[in-house]
């Protein structure tokens, strides 16, 4: 494994800038796009030039786009949040099960041992707890600055202040996924009053690819706009992969602990139990996992409601838990132990995603009685999580025809008290295999404009992840970033249309390079422009 290297990314006509906070010692990274002057010729043929104000945009590339960054993959990114957490004096150092050697192979999970922390006895360290106590944390100020994108330089105003962020979190309408054990993270916020975010799936390295190749893929995806990652691995060395990702990820990393727990149970559903799951969950949050998807809202009484379906239970996690319930003839142990789950998450400020076990696998089954029965329980669990001061999101269905999107959003907001909505798409038709990212982006743009806060990046052939190429990831991410941006414009997010306006101005003034630099994928735009020029020669 060769990881003693640093990776850099860059954007055309761009530079990394930092904006300092005024409440806490935060330094927020952004990307500034330099624009050419506008030339004008008067009636006498004299040419004059008027400068164009540079445009500052949201940047998910982290320190990788900072030419001054010297960190290596084997040492990880700068731990910018470590000081913030220690300053609050409400955490205590712990001995992590992942801090030494891998239990099975006696090999290090990461070359550098990173201390793990948890809340002191009797202390509440979640962003929700701080927000309810009217405390503006460094994370809250960071995301307020980041979301506003310095629009004041364009003469615009933003309602997104640190106190506005605090109020949205206190109300449960927004979350900041930021485990105290992921200090390398640059905080981001998820909520319907903020920029729509895009989540990208990842998988543990296969035999044919090493961890370095996977890290390079992650960093490229961050450059292209990945706001978060969700580990969907069901095999491979999950602990090692998660450790390497976390130490090198500037964005939140999520997981589905059920998959690793099942692996620990020998991939035997019947052998899975609460103790195995609990130990797996604790190990993952001590590594630094920022959000976990827990499929606790599937009840024994829901399973028969799926019998009339065309495609049954489509969610892998839903299938596993339904099988466990059938085998043991007991209630879902994630439901019966839900308060204990909340107690664990609260100690590390891990955001809870209440997973969707009964979302439809086809548009024929969308919005049926099984789905709404589970949604009702999601609302109940949301209330319990909030009472336990755990930040909470809700996962929505993966398949939904366009005519049902608005109603689904209304039902979710009502049932789950306006908790942020995490949508895997939704894919709007079943015939899009090979083009699932397009069918997904159509649904994502719609539901995000209605208020969904985090949209899942669906890959072109979502059933076959082993052969996804670099370009397929690039296309899928940018497709969903366009959907997210379209929703931001529709919602009137401060400064969202500024980039569109700047690009349109460049086009009409024939500043062709600026037109390309302002595009969602500037490098591809420049390549297309150069090929167009060559074609005319």
């Amino acid at each position: 494994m060769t990881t003693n290297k640093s990776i850099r990314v860059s954007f055309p006509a761009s530079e990394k800038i930092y904006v300092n906070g005024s409440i806490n010692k935060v330094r927020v990274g952004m990307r500034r796009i330099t624009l050419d002057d506008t030339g004008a010729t008067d009636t006498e043929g004299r040419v004059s030039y008027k400068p164009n104000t540079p445009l500052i945009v949201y940047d998910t590339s982290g320190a990788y786009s900072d030419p001054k960054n010297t960190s290596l993959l084997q040492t990880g990114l700068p731990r910018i949040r470590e000081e913030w957490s220690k300053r609050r004096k409400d955490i205590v150092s712990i001995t992590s099960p992942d801090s030494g050697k891998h239990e099975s192979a006696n090999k290090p999970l990461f070359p550098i041992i990173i201390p793990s922390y948890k809340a002191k006895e009797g202390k509440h360290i979640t962003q929700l707890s701080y927000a309810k106590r009217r405390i503006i944390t460094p994370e809250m100020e960071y995301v307020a600055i980041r979301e506003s994108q310095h629009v004041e330089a364009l003469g615009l105003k933003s309602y997104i202040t640190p106190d506005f962020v605090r109020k949205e979190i206190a109300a449960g309408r927004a979350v900041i996924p930021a485990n105290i054990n992921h200090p390398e993270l640059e905080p981001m916020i998820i909520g319907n009053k903020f920029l729509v975010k895009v989540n990208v799936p990842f998988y543990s390295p296969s035999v044919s690819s090493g961890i370095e190749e996977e890290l390079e893929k992650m960093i490229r995806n961050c450059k292209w706009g990945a706001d978060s990652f969700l580990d969907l691995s069901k095999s491979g060395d999950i602990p090692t992969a998660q450790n390497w990702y976390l130490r090198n990820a500037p964005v939140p990393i999520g997981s589905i602990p059920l998959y690793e727990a099942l692996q620990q149970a020998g991939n035997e559903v019947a052998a899975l139990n609460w103790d195995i799951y609990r130990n797996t969950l604790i190990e993952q949050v001590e590594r630094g996992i920022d959000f976990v998807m827990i499929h606790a809202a599937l009840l024994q009484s829901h399973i028969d409601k799926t019998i009339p379906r065309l495609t049954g239970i489509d969610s892998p996690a839903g299938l596993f838990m339904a099988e466990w319930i059938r085998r043991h003839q007991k209630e879902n142990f994630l439901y019966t132990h839900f308060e204990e789950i909340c107690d664990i998450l609260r100690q590390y400020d891990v955001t809870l995603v209440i997973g969707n076990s009964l979302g439809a696998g086809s548009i024929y089954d969308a919005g049926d009685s099984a789905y709404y029965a589970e949604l009702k329980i999601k609302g109940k669990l949301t209330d319990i999580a909030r009472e336990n001061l755990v930040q909470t999101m809700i996962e929505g269905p993966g398949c939904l025809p366009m005519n049902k999107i608005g109603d689904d959003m209304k039902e979710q907001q009502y049932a789950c008290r306006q908790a942020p909505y995490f949508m895997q798409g939704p894919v709007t038709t079943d015939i899009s295999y090979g083009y699932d990212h397009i069918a997904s982006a159509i649904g994502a743009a719609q539901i995000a404009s209605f208020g969904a806060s985090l949209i899942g990046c669906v890959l072109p052939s979502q059933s076959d992840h082993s052969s996804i190429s670099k370009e397929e990831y690039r296309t899928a991410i940018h497709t969903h970033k366009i959907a997210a941006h379209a929703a931001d414009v529709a919602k009137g997010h401060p400064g969202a249309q500024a980039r569109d306006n700047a690009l349109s101005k460049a086009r009409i003034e024939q500043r062709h390079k600026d037109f390309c630099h302002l595009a969602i994928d500037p490098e591809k735009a420049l390549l297309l422009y150069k090929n167009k020029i060559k074609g005319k020669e």
Side-chain angles (χ1 to χ4, degrees):
M1 184 185 294
T2 305
T3 52
N4 57 341
K5 63 182 289 188
S6 60
I7 297 177
R8 299 284 179 271
V9 300
S10 61
F11 301 88
S14 298
E15 63 178 321
K16 191 82 170 187
I17 65 164
Y18 292 92
V19 178
N20 295 321
S22 58
I23 302 172
N24 300 283
K25 293 180 180 179
V26 298
R27 189 166 170 260
V28 184
M30 299 184 187
R31 178 161 71 97
R32 181 164 61 196
I33 304 173
T34 303
L35 303 176
D36 291 336
D37 296 343
T38 296
T41 304
D42 62 19
T43 54
E44 297 180 6
R46 291 174 298 195
V47 180
S48 61
Y49 293 92
K50 183 179 180 180
N52 287 291
T53 304
L55 189 72
I56 296 173
V57 297
Y58 196 100
D59 183 18
T60 56
S61 64
Y64 296 110
S65 58
D66 186 343
K68 296 180 181 178
N69 174 47
T70 58
S71 58
L72 304 174
L73 294 179
Q74 65 180 3
T75 57
L77 288 170
R79 297 188 287 277
I80 61 171
R81 293 179 54 238
E82 197 167 49
E83 181 191 352
W84 304 353
S85 298
K86 288 181 179 179
R87 200 187 306 157
R88 291 193 279 257
K89 298 182 179 180
D90 51 10
I91 60 173
V92 61
S93 179
I94 58 174
T95 302
S96 169
D98 282 349
S99 62
K101 303 290 184 178
H102 194 291
E103 294 175 2
S104 61
N106 195 34
K107 62 181 180 181
L109 293 174
F110 191 74
I112 305 297
I113 295 177
I114 307 297
S116 293
Y117 299 91
K118 65 186 292 187
K120 287 182 178 178
E121 189 72 29
K123 296 292 185 180
H124 300 305
I125 63 167
T126 68
Q127 296 296 317
L128 178 57
S129 172
Y130 293 130
K132 285 182 174 293
R133 286 181 276 155
R134 299 180 180 274
I135 297 172
I136 295 174
T137 64
E139 288 85 355
M140 294 177 199
E141 184 179 19
Y142 193 104
V143 300
I145 295 169
R146 198 175 191 189
E147 288 281 322
S148 295
Q149 301 174 88
H150 213 47
V151 294
E152 295 83 359
L154 300 174
L156 303 173
K157 290 185 178 181
S158 173
Y159 59 78
I160 303 175
T161 64
D163 195 54
F164 178 82
V165 168
R166 182 196 66 77
K167 289 176 180 176
E168 289 296 296
I169 293 172
R173 292 188 295 266
V175 299
I176 298 177
N179 187 331
I180 58 170
N181 292 317
H182 187 186
E184 302 88 353
L185 172 73
E186 296 184 355
M188 56 86 99
I189 191 165
I190 300 170
N192 65 7
K193 297 292 185 183
F194 305 99
L195 291 167
V196 177
K197 307 304 190 298
V198 174
N199 178 79
V200 177
F202 80 83
Y203 306 85
S204 295
S206 63
V207 176
S208 61
S209 64
I211 191 67
E212 183 177 312
E213 181 180 336
E214 294 301 309
L215 290 173
E216 289 179 359
K217 184 189 300 180
M218 178 197 73
I219 293 166
R220 284 197 307 267
N221 290 346
C222 286
K223 172 185 175 177
W224 294 330
D227 293 288
S228 65
F229 293 96
L230 179 60
D231 182 6
L232 298 180
S233 306
K234 300 184 185 73
S235 60
D237 189 350
I238 295 174
T240 298
Q242 286 186 357
N243 268 279
W244 279 91
Y245 266 90
L246 285 160
R247 303 289 69 87
N248 289 281
V251 302
I253 300 288
S255 76
I256 302 177
L258 179 63
Y259 294 161
E260 187 184 350
L262 188 59
Q263 191 183 54
Q264 295 298 323
N267 291 314
E268 292 290 337
V269 172
L272 186 62
N273 58 45
W274 165 243
D275 288 336
I276 293 174
Y277 187 94
R278 178 182 178 276
N279 291 338
T280 301
L281 178 61
I282 292 173
E283 288 177 7
Q284 289 200 0
V285 298
E286 288 186 356
R287 285 173 208 148
I289 289 294
D290 299 292
F291 61 98
V292 289
M293 189 173 287
I294 310 286
H295 295 78
L298 170 64
L299 302 188
Q300 194 170 10
S301 60
H302 296 161
I303 296 175
D304 285 348
K305 295 180 184 293
T306 65
I307 293 173
R309 284 185 165 185
L310 178 65
T311 49
I313 299 176
D314 184 67
S315 160
L319 278 170
F320 291 146
M321 290 315 303
E323 179 63 18
W324 187 92
I325 291 169
R326 289 192 191 102
R327 293 278 191 95
H328 293 274
Q329 287 300 301
K330 292 181 179 179
E331 191 55 272
N332 182 349
F333 67 80
L334 298 175
Y335 177 77
T336 57
H337 290 275
F338 189 73
E339 294 252 15
E340 294 170 73
I341 291 171
C342 289
D343 183 59
I344 293 169
L345 302 185
R346 184 178 62 245
Q347 295 178 63
Y348 306 88
D349 193 13
V350 176
T351 297
L352 166 68
V353 181
I354 301 178
N356 189 56
S357 301
L358 298 179
S362 60
I363 61 171
Y364 179 89
D365 294 332
D368 64 355
S369 61
Y371 169 70
Y372 282 113
E374 185 185 24
L375 182 60
K376 183 178 179 180
I377 303 302
K378 287 179 182 178
K380 176 183 176 181
L381 297 180
T382 299
D383 290 341
I384 294 172
R386 287 176 175 174
E387 288 169 7
N388 282 274
L389 301 174
V390 175
Q391 300 187 88
T392 306
M393 288 192 288
I394 308 299
E395 185 194 21
C399 290
L400 206 59
M402 291 171 64
N403 59 301
K404 293 185 177 181
I405 287 176
D407 288 342
D408 179 80
M409 189 70 213
K410 289 177 184 176
E411 291 291 339
Q412 184 275 336
Q413 291 285 274
Y414 175 77
C416 301
R417 331 295 185 245
Q418 296 184 302
Y421 206 17
F422 175 12
M423 290 296 298
Q424 301 288 354
V427 174
T428 49
T429 179
D430 298 333
I431 65 169
S432 57
Y433 184 74
Y435 301 91
D436 287 334
H437 61 300
I438 297 175
S440 169
I442 291 169
Q446 271 198 298
I447 203 158
S449 70
F450 288 132
S453 311
L454 177 64
I455 56 177
C457 177
V458 173
L459 301 171
S461 301
Q462 58 175 326
S463 60
D464 180 14
H465 302 292
S466 60
S467 60
I468 298 295
S469 68
K470 168 186 170 181
E471 283 306 309
E472 285 176 310
Y473 265 108
R474 180 178 190 165
T475 298
I477 292 171
H478 283 119
T479 301
H480 287 82
K481 292 299 286 188
I482 292 169
H485 179 74
D488 291 332
V489 172
K491 294 193 303 180
H493 185 281
Q497 196 174 324
R499 189 169 179 175
D500 296 74
N501 295 345
L503 186 145
S504 295
K505 186 173 184 289
R507 180 175 57 196
I508 199 68
E509 293 175 355
Q510 297 186 19
R511 289 183 282 116
H512 302 296
K513 286 188 177 180
D514 283 353
F515 173 82
C516 296
H517 296 157
L518 290 162
I520 196 80
D521 186 349
E523 289 162 329
K524 186 170 184 178
L526 282 169
L527 180 62
L528 291 172
Y529 174 66
K530 289 176 181 177
N531 289 340
K532 182 180 178 181
I533 296 300
K534 286 181 181 178
K536 290 181 177 180
E537 291 176 351

